[in-house]
Amino acid sequence: MNEGSTRGFRAYTAKHLDDLLRRGGVGDEERLRIRAVATVLPFRTNAYVVDQLIDWSAIPEDPIYRLVFPQADMLPEADVTRLAGLLNAGARNAEIQAAANEVRRRLNPHPAGQLELNVPHIGTEPLPGMQHKYPETVLFFPKQGQTCHAYCTYCFRWAQFIGEPDLKFASDDVGSLVGYLKDHPEVTSVLFTGGDPMIMSEAVLRRYLEPLLEVEQLESIRIGTKSLAYWPQRFVSDPDSADTLKLFASVADAGKTLAFMAHFSHPREMESPIVEAAVAGILSTGAVIRTQAPLIRSINDDPETWSSMWRRQLTMGMVPYYMFVERDTGPQDYFAVPLARAYEIFRDAYASVSGLCRTVRGPSMSATPGKVCVDGVAEIAGQKVFVLHLIQARDPELVGRPFFARYDPQAVWLTDLQPAFADRFPFEPATVQRLSA
């Protein structure tokens, strides 16, 4: 999307942060500490989010405010204090960035083996801007789509946005993608991700989509996007919105499924009439919209929020799909909900909706071996355990196979867990050595 020529869109970045915080009545010291956090984690929002979604009378508790604005305590106290001191002293930008990069390196910028395990190769040459973790699905990161209409504070792809080329996935070589697909007939689905592919104009998006319509083996094309929440005008009133919907329709005309993987974190993101119009427009093209989001402390960590979201999504014609667990990157310690509590929230929300909403799966961890779902807590042979299974896996033989972990009320991620009734988890090599808990 060419923001300069798009009606009504105005982006706000870190240079606007101080003025926006003043608008909310945030005091001098707190603003300084928030700006310190923003030297490490990216900040970007837009006028629609600021003017129509945030309740400025309710900050800092307002969930949409917390969704897009850094918080002063999101990073370790010592790091925030050091960075705030540099800002207050007028330190050189190079010194501030060096300090910020030190913090970033400790935040696991590319979790779940994205750099080491997911990058495909032709011969010995890696293919930039692509990931191939599961046999059936390839992820592609279009170069022009590696930003967003606004950034979520908990985003697991925050490293895409900090200006470090070595940490960024991106490619504009759709020819290599098509060639790789033809060499790998097991791939039946391509997911365009980012960033947000819907930041791109229709003309640019077409250059990526159209070549895939000729790839016979492909059954589905997916677009991972937050645009319905952060800029629904993209499908209603932007200059190329009608052309974009026509492009979507061409996917169905080619006999393939276009799956819109829409990211909604809170019910308020669906309240605007323009969201209803955008959803209706997308569905009219023959596309399906599936919804997903992580469970985030202080934003949506209660059952009522999730059941309300799922019911609203169903009413609008969307399909509830995933509740994710906050990933092991960035400010995970700030946003993570313990797995035991995550399961309770999912169970209570799931129990309060009709069967048509129960297409949703979770809570799911997108971890190194695959998507690990917490199915429940049980007592087996006198031992309290988590019951888990792999929804998707690097090793297809493990998909759907139940396994068990010792119950740990403090655990927030797969690596916090110890196997139960076995000396290792099924996805771990036989030679793995574990310390006793």
Side-chain angles (χ1 to χ4, degrees):
M1 183 177 65
N2 183 339
E3 295 167 9
S5 64
T6 300
R7 289 193 299 266
F9 186 87
R10 181 186 178 190
Y12 296 114
T13 62
K15 66 183 180 182
H16 304 104
L17 184 55
D18 207 46
D19 287 340
L20 289 168
L21 293 170
R22 281 195 182 94
R23 170 177 176 168
V26 179
D28 293 349
E29 180 63 25
E30 185 77 357
R31 291 201 316 275
L32 177 63
R33 296 179 69 78
I34 290 172
R35 287 169 49 218
V37 172
T39 66
V40 175
L41 299 170
F43 170 73
R44 176 181 166 95
T45 188
N46 67 66
Y48 172 76
V49 175
V50 166
D51 296 334
Q52 299 192 42
L53 297 187
I54 293 174
D55 180 357
W56 287 94
S57 69
I59 71 163
E61 288 77 19
D62 180 73
I64 308 300
Y65 172 78
R66 300 184 70 81
L67 178 59
V68 295
F69 277 80
Q71 305 301 307
D73 54 349
M74 277 175 57
L75 296 175
E77 169 70 21
D79 292 330
V80 176
T81 297
R82 178 188 177 194
L83 289 161
L86 290 172
L87 290 173
N88 197 44
R92 293 178 298 109
N93 185 62
E95 186 178 0
I96 295 169
Q97 285 304 305
N101 285 335
E102 288 180 23
V103 180
R104 288 166 176 161
R105 284 192 289 270
R106 300 197 300 269
L107 297 179
N108 190 23
H110 275 307
Q114 290 186 94
L115 288 178
E116 302 85 1
L117 302 176
N118 293 2
V119 176
H121 291 72
I122 293 182
T124 60
E125 290 298 314
L127 289 173
M130 292 174 57
Q131 293 184 23
H132 191 183
K133 182 176 180 179
Y134 307 126
E136 305 86 359
T137 305
V138 162
L139 277 62
F140 191 80
F141 295 74
K143 181 178 179 180
Q144 299 89 338
Q146 299 314 306
T147 185
C148 301
H149 296 97
Y151 295 150
C152 298
T153 44
Y154 56 72
C155 181
F156 81 95
R157 290 222 172 99
W158 60 271
Q160 289 285 99
F161 315 128
I162 59 174
E164 293 290 332
D166 291 344
L167 296 179
K168 188 171 184 175
F169 284 96
S171 175
D172 59 1
D173 187 359
V174 71
S176 290
L177 171 61
V178 170
Y180 184 80
L181 296 176
K182 291 181 177 178
D183 288 342
H184 292 268
E186 73 275 16
V187 179
T188 58
S189 184
V190 169
L191 169 61
F192 287 102
T193 186
D196 193 324
M198 294 316 306
I199 202 81
M200 297 188 293
S201 69
E202 182 274 340
V204 176
L205 184 60
R206 180 179 294 275
R207 294 208 301 268
Y208 289 103
L209 280 181
E210 281 194 333
L212 300 188
L213 303 185
E214 305 301 320
V215 181
E216 187 174 352
Q217 77 215 44
L218 276 190
E219 298 168 359
S220 63
I221 298 171
R222 291 183 256 178
I223 297 175
T225 182
K226 183 79 178 177
S227 54
L228 278 170
Y230 283 165
W231 189 250
Q233 293 89 332
R234 179 69 187 82
F235 312 98
V236 178
S237 58
D238 275 6
D240 61 349
S241 58
D243 289 337
T244 299
L245 297 181
K246 290 177 184 177
L247 176 61
F248 291 171
S250 72
V251 179
D253 292 342
K256 304 183 188 304
T257 296
L258 178 63
F260 225 69
M261 316 307 291
H263 187 141
F264 289 107
S265 308
H266 193 272
R268 193 183 301 163
E269 295 171 320
M270 293 175 282
E271 291 177 356
S272 171
I274 198 169
V275 180
E276 293 187 28
V279 168
I282 293 167
L283 294 177
S284 73
T285 70
V288 62
I289 303 175
R290 296 181 182 270
T291 62
Q292 55 192 28
L295 175 64
I296 299 296
R297 187 178 68 84
S298 81
I299 292 174
N300 59 20
D301 55 335
D302 64 89
E304 293 77 16
T305 297
W306 284 89
S307 60
S308 174
M309 277 202 294
W310 294 337
R311 287 195 298 267
R312 179 62 177 151
Q313 288 159 7
L314 179 67
T315 299
M316 296 172 73
M318 297 182 279
V319 180
Y321 189 50
Y322 267 119
M323 174 198 280
F324 288 118
V325 174
E326 170 67 349
R327 294 182 73 162
D328 55 335
T329 183
Q332 181 198 27
D333 292 344
Y334 185 80
F335 286 120
V337 176
L339 296 177
R341 178 58 183 153
Y343 168 68
E344 291 174 354
I345 292 170
F346 179 87
R347 178 199 61 200
D348 291 350
Y350 192 85
S352 67
V353 297
S354 75
L356 290 175
C357 284
R358 294 181 183 175
T359 51
V360 70
R361 296 179 287 185
S364 171
M365 292 175 275
S366 291
T368 301
K371 289 187 173 70
V372 178
C373 187
V374 181
D375 291 324
V377 176
E379 187 168 315
I380 302 174
Q383 184 174 342
K384 193 173 185 180
V385 296
F386 286 114
V387 183
L388 310 109
H389 84 281
L390 281 155
I391 297 171
Q392 181 60 285
R394 293 183 188 277
D395 179 0
E397 292 297 317
L398 298 178
V399 173
R401 183 186 300 181
F403 63 98
F404 305 94
R406 300 176 194 175
Y407 180 78
D408 180 350
Q410 304 304 317
V412 299
W413 194 250
L414 183 64
T415 52
D416 297 331
L417 300 177
Q418 294 286 330
F421 316 121
D423 60 0
R424 63 186 177 92
F425 289 124
F427 45 80
E428 293 179 324
T431 56
V432 70
Q433 297 293 319
R434 281 187 167 268
L435 299 175
S436 58

